Amino acid sequence: NIRITWDSGFLNHPSQRVVTVSDPLFQTERSIFESKRVFSKSYCPPEPLERGGEMSDFGTIFSDALHGDPPRNVLVYGKTGVGKTVVTKHVLDRLVSESEPSGHDVCYYSVNCGQNSSSYQAALTLLNKIRREHDETDLNKGYSFSGVMQKLYRRLDDMEAIVYVVIDEIDHLGDDDQILYELPRAPAN
């Protein structure tokens, strides 16, 4: 199975409420915050709170993969900061874990269009993530969009798995939304 994990870095460090310092200028105890790391942009809670209904909806849709059925397209939208990315990642991580005993290989890859603001950049980033998982070197720019998509289609086909592709922050693509039309056609191509 192929699994992409996000680095949770700071979650591996235990938080401390009392620290020993010799300078009285600095606080030694925190009365409100156990850890302010939860306010970091990169923080991902181990279990999303108050999103049980959304996770249940995802579970209904994604459970098809556990039966070997092809994935369905899902569009998740909402205001900034409500947990769309966190919930999607959490549910897909659980799906990948459940897929192992089901006998169906399921994996997912995510590309953030905030950092890849064109369909070409998003497709190349996605392809290179898959190539890295197979210990292959990244492809450099220079291929056409259709060339990158053909290589991506071949790579996805070679995987013989149910693959979910998460395209995060699609609003950054603007009018260049070609990848949104191409990826759903991957099985046909």
Side-chain angles (χ1 to χ4, degrees), residues 1 14 17-18 20 32 47-49 57 71 73 80 82 86 94 108 117 129 136 139 141 159 179 181 183 187 189:
N1 287 344
R17 288 184 164 215
V18 178
T20 304
I32 297 175
E47 177 79 26
L49 301 175
D57 290 345
N73 297 322
T80 303
V82 296
V86 169
R94 288 176 62 177
Y108 73 94
S117 59
K129 281 185 176 190
E136 296 175 9
L139 289 182
K141 294 179 182 177
M159 292 171 69
I179 194 168
Y181 293 101
L183 278 177
N189 291 328

Side-chain angles (χ1 to χ4, degrees), residues 78-131:
K79 293 181 179 181
T80 303
V82 296
K84 299 178 297 292
T85 302
V86 169
V87 169
T88 301
K89 179 198 171 311
H90 179 78
V91 173
L92 284 171
D93 283 343
R94 288 176 62 177
L95 178 68
V96 169
S97 293
E98 282 298 311
S99 71
E100 293 171 18
S102 78
H104 299 286
D105 285 336
V106 177
C107 60
Y108 73 94
Y109 294 92
S110 181
V111 63
N112 186 312
C113 295
Q115 290 114 19
N116 301 284
S117 59
S118 72
S119 287
Y120 178 82
Q121 289 173 334
L124 186 61
T125 298
L126 183 60
L127 176 59
N128 283 334
K129 281 185 176 190
I130 295 170
R131 290 176 61 87

